[in-house]
PDB file of all heavy atoms in Angstrom:
ATOM      1  N   LYS A  34      -8.713   6.752  40.456  1.00 97.00           N
ATOM      2  CA  LYS A  34      -8.049   6.261  41.694  1.00 97.00           C
ATOM      3  C   LYS A  34      -7.108   5.134  41.374  1.00 97.00           C
ATOM      4  O   LYS A  34      -7.398   4.278  40.641  1.00 97.00           O
ATOM      5  CB  LYS A  34      -9.101   5.831  42.675  1.00 97.00           C
ATOM      6  CG  LYS A  34     -10.146   6.838  43.086  1.00 97.00           C
ATOM      7  CD  LYS A  34     -11.233   6.288  44.040  1.00 97.00           C
ATOM      8  CE  LYS A  34     -12.203   7.312  44.471  1.00 97.00           C
ATOM      9  NZ  LYS A  34     -13.191   6.798  45.386  1.00 97.00           N
ATOM     10  N   PRO A  35      -5.877   5.233  42.027  1.00 97.00           N
ATOM     11  CA  PRO A  35      -4.821   4.246  41.689  1.00 97.00           C
ATOM     12  C   PRO A  35      -5.272   2.827  42.157  1.00 97.00           C
ATOM     13  O   PRO A  35      -5.955   2.696  43.254  1.00 97.00           O
ATOM     14  CB  PRO A  35      -3.656   4.739  42.568  1.00 97.00           C
ATOM     15  CG  PRO A  35      -3.920   6.162  42.770  1.00 97.00           C
ATOM     16  CD  PRO A  35      -5.408   6.338  42.898  1.00 97.00           C
ATOM     17  N   ALA A  36      -4.941   1.845  41.361  1.00 97.00           N
ATOM     18  CA  ALA A  36      -5.169   0.432  41.814  1.00 97.00           C
ATOM     19  C   ALA A  36      -4.134   0.073  42.950  1.00 97.00           C
ATOM     20  O   ALA A  36      -2.908   0.375  42.834  1.00 97.00           O
ATOM     21  CB  ALA A  36      -4.871  -0.479  40.604  1.00 97.00           C
ATOM     22  N   THR A  37      -4.565  -0.596  43.953  1.00 95.00           N
ATOM     23  CA  THR A  37      -3.731  -0.840  45.106  1.00 95.00           C
ATOM     24  C   THR A  37      -3.714  -2.358  45.458  1.00 95.00           C
ATOM     25  O   THR A  37      -3.112  -2.709  46.523  1.00 95.00           O
ATOM     26  CB  THR A  37      -4.208  -0.046  46.356  1.00 95.00           C
ATOM     27  OG1 THR A  37      -5.653  -0.356  46.615  1.00 95.00           O
ATOM     28  CG2 THR A  37      -4.038   1.480  46.126  1.00 95.00           C
ATOM     29  N   GLY A  38      -4.367  -3.125  44.761  1.00 95.00           N
ATOM     30  CA  GLY A  38      -4.425  -4.565  45.041  1.00 95.00           C
ATOM     31  C   GLY A  38      -3.177  -5.324  44.728  1.00 95.00           C
ATOM     32  O   GLY A  38      -2.137  -4.749  44.406  1.00 95.00           O
ATOM     33  N   GLU A  39      -3.280  -6.660  44.663  1.00 97.00           N
ATOM     34  CA  GLU A  39      -2.149  -7.481  44.360  1.00 97.00           C
ATOM     35  C   GLU A  39      -1.789  -7.310  42.872  1.00 97.00           C
ATOM     36  O   GLU A  39      -2.691  -7.447  42.006  1.00 97.00           O
ATOM     37  CB  GLU A  39      -2.523  -8.961  44.648  1.00 97.00           C
ATOM     38  CG  GLU A  39      -1.415  -9.925  44.246  1.00 97.00           C
ATOM     39  CD  GLU A  39      -1.758 -11.438  44.432  1.00 97.00           C
ATOM     40  OE1 GLU A  39      -2.824 -11.651  44.916  1.00 97.00           O
ATOM     41  OE2 GLU A  39      -0.895 -12.275  44.160  1.00 97.00           O
ATOM     42  N   PRO A  40      -0.528  -6.979  42.496  1.00 98.00           N
ATOM     43  CA  PRO A  40      -0.154  -6.818  41.142  1.00 98.00           C
ATOM     44  C   PRO A  40      -0.382  -8.000  40.185  1.00 98.00           C
ATOM     45  O   PRO A  40      -0.222  -9.139  40.654  1.00 98.00           O
ATOM     46  CB  PRO A  40       1.278  -6.443  41.230  1.00 98.00           C
ATOM     47  CG  PRO A  40       1.515  -5.938  42.643  1.00 98.00           C
ATOM     48  CD  PRO A  40       0.568  -6.819  43.403  1.00 98.00           C
ATOM     49  N   ILE A  41      -0.730  -7.761  39.025  1.00 98.00           N
ATOM     50  CA  ILE A  41      -0.770  -8.809  37.930  1.00 98.00           C
ATOM     51  C   ILE A  41       0.462  -8.619  37.115  1.00 98.00           C
ATOM     52  O   ILE A  41       0.701  -7.529  36.484  1.00 98.00           O
ATOM     53  CB  ILE A  41      -2.047  -8.532  37.095  1.00 98.00           C
ATOM     54  CG1 ILE A  41      -3.307  -8.596  37.878  1.00 98.00           C
ATOM     55  CG2 ILE A  41      -2.095  -9.569  35.915  1.00 98.00           C
ATOM     56  CD1 ILE A  41      -4.569  -8.153  37.195  1.00 98.00           C
ATOM     57  N   VAL A  42       1.264  -9.714  37.052  1.00 98.00           N
ATOM     58  CA  VAL A  42       2.557  -9.581  36.395  1.00 98.00           C
ATOM     59  C   VAL A  42       2.358  -9.844  34.859  1.00 98.00           C
ATOM     60  O   VAL A  42       1.929 -10.919  34.468  1.00 98.00           O
ATOM     61  CB  VAL A  42       3.557 -10.582  36.967  1.00 98.00           C
ATOM     62  CG1 VAL A  42       4.911 -10.449  36.232  1.00 98.00           C
ATOM     63  CG2 VAL A  42       3.797 -10.283  38.492  1.00 98.00           C
ATOM     64  N   ILE A  43       2.791  -8.968  34.091  1.00 98.00           N
ATOM     65  CA  ILE A  43       2.788  -9.032  32.633  1.00 98.00           C
ATOM     66  C   ILE A  43       4.185  -8.760  32.136  1.00 98.00           C
ATOM     67  O   ILE A  43       4.810  -7.805  32.533  1.00 98.00           O
ATOM     68  CB  ILE A  43       1.801  -8.136  31.956  1.00 98.00           C
ATOM     69  CG1 ILE A  43       0.355  -8.504  32.343  1.00 98.00           C
ATOM     70  CG2 ILE A  43       1.923  -8.093  30.476  1.00 98.00           C
ATOM     71  CD1 ILE A  43      -0.747  -7.642  31.720  1.00 98.00           C
ATOM     72  N   GLY A  44       4.700  -9.574  31.226  1.00 98.00           N
ATOM     73  CA  GLY A  44       6.038  -9.439  30.725  1.00 98.00           C
ATOM     74  C   GLY A  44       6.090  -8.937  29.280  1.00 98.00           C
ATOM     75  O   GLY A  44       5.095  -8.943  28.586  1.00 98.00           O
ATOM     76  N   ALA A  45       7.314  -8.585  28.859  1.00 98.00           N
ATOM     77  CA  ALA A  45       7.489  -8.161  27.423  1.00 98.00           C
ATOM     78  C   ALA A  45       9.029  -8.270  27.131  1.00 98.00           C
ATOM     79  O   ALA A  45       9.815  -7.995  28.016  1.00 98.00           O
ATOM     80  CB  ALA A  45       6.979  -6.806  27.213  1.00 98.00           C
ATOM     81  N   ILE A  46       9.294  -8.626  25.949  1.00 98.00           N
ATOM     82  CA  ILE A  46      10.646  -8.590  25.423  1.00 98.00           C
ATOM     83  C   ILE A  46      10.784  -7.784  24.197  1.00 98.00           C
ATOM     84  O   ILE A  46      10.001  -7.869  23.342  1.00 98.00           O
ATOM     85  CB  ILE A  46      11.162 -10.021  25.165  1.00 98.00           C
ATOM     86  CG1 ILE A  46      11.219 -10.851  26.473  1.00 98.00           C
ATOM     87  CG2 ILE A  46      12.602 -10.065  24.586  1.00 98.00           C
ATOM     88  CD1 ILE A  46      11.570 -12.289  26.192  1.00 98.00           C
ATOM     89  N   THR A  47      11.776  -6.876  24.187  1.00 98.00           N
ATOM     90  CA  THR A  47      11.960  -5.981  23.041  1.00 98.00           C
ATOM     91  C   THR A  47      13.416  -5.848  22.691  1.00 98.00           C
ATOM     92  O   THR A  47      14.317  -6.254  23.511  1.00 98.00           O
ATOM     93  CB  THR A  47      11.358  -4.608  23.360  1.00 98.00           C
ATOM     94  OG1 THR A  47      11.407  -3.713  22.158  1.00 98.00           O
ATOM     95  CG2 THR A  47      12.203  -3.890  24.398  1.00 98.00           C
ATOM     96  N   GLY A  48      13.719  -5.399  21.465  1.00 95.00           N
ATOM     97  CA  GLY A  48      15.099  -5.175  21.008  1.00 95.00           C
ATOM     98  C   GLY A  48      15.440  -3.671  21.055  1.00 95.00           C
ATOM     99  O   GLY A  48      15.238  -2.975  20.115  1.00 95.00           O
ATOM    100  N   LYS A  49      15.829  -3.276  22.262  1.00 95.00           N
ATOM    101  CA  LYS A  49      16.097  -1.790  22.550  1.00 95.00           C
ATOM    102  C   LYS A  49      17.517  -1.420  22.036  1.00 95.00           C
ATOM    103  O   LYS A  49      17.691  -0.434  21.361  1.00 95.00           O
ATOM    104  CB  LYS A  49      15.935  -1.496  23.960  1.00 95.00           C
ATOM    105  CG  LYS A  49      16.127   0.101  24.235  1.00 95.00           C
ATOM    106  CD  LYS A  49      15.772   0.396  25.667  1.00 95.00           C
ATOM    107  CE  LYS A  49      16.111   1.869  26.008  1.00 95.00           C
ATOM    108  NZ  LYS A  49      15.409   2.781  25.092  1.00 95.00           N
ATOM    109  N   THR A  50      18.449  -2.223  22.405  1.00 93.00           N
ATOM    110  CA  THR A  50      19.892  -1.940  22.051  1.00 93.00           C
ATOM    111  C   THR A  50      20.378  -2.892  21.053  1.00 93.00           C
ATOM    112  O   THR A  50      20.113  -4.086  21.172  1.00 93.00           O
ATOM    113  CB  THR A  50      20.788  -1.911  23.274  1.00 93.00           C
ATOM    114  OG1 THR A  50      20.668  -3.195  23.947  1.00 93.00           O
ATOM    115  CG2 THR A  50      20.435  -0.833  24.284  1.00 93.00           C
TER     116      THR A  50
END
Side-chain angles (χ1 to χ4, degrees):
K34 298 180 180 180
T37 57
E39 181 183 358
I41 300 166
V42 179
I43 293 178
I46 296 176
T47 188
K49 181 173 175 58
T50 54

